[in-house]
Amino acid sequence: AALRHRSPRRRLGLRRVRVAVSAAAPIDPDVLASFRAIGVEIRDAYAQTESTAACTVTPAGDVRPGTVGTALPGVELQIAGDGEILTRSPGVFEGYFRDPGATADVVDEDGWLATGDLGALDADGYLTVTGRKRDARSE
């Protein structure tokens, strides 16, 4: 009987959660809505090992399902002609260990990291990841 009177947040162990961030894969908008309904806003982010830190995060209070937010301070984003997401920041790694050829394949002379992901930027700077470049080549 005691469990029926506990809030969903408390039952899920989320009573003290103030910010929830996801960066693994796109979250279904219905899942986002369910968490929002119990008072937990999940903010998407975008990162990869070679960027050494998050590139984007959804601003608080402006969750836009299907996007992974806007560039963090000091991070630049652009979309290449083939749709690949490029990022440049002080966090972009210096290179693969003992493999300058592989490094040159992903970081150009201006410091732009080719992420291997495809995406789009909207007018407000929100990034949407649409797929992987290697998957698009195999179609």
Side-chain angles (χ1 to χ4, degrees), residues 20 37 62:
D62 199 4

Side-chain angles (χ1 to χ4, degrees), residues 22-86:
S22 171
I27 298 177
D28 185 294
D30 291 338
V31 172
L32 292 174
S34 295
F35 276 92
R36 193 170 34 258
I38 64 168
V40 176
E41 184 175 73
I42 299 176
R43 296 166 58 191
D44 273 310
Y46 177 75
Q48 63 182 157
T49 302
E50 291 85 352
S51 67
T52 70
C55 297
T56 72
V57 70
T58 302
D62 199 4
V63 172
R64 299 182 188 186
T67 73
V68 292
T70 58
L72 290 166
V75 176
E76 297 174 82
L77 296 172
Q78 68 178 358
I79 306 299
D82 63 358
E84 185 172 11
I85 300 166
L86 306 177

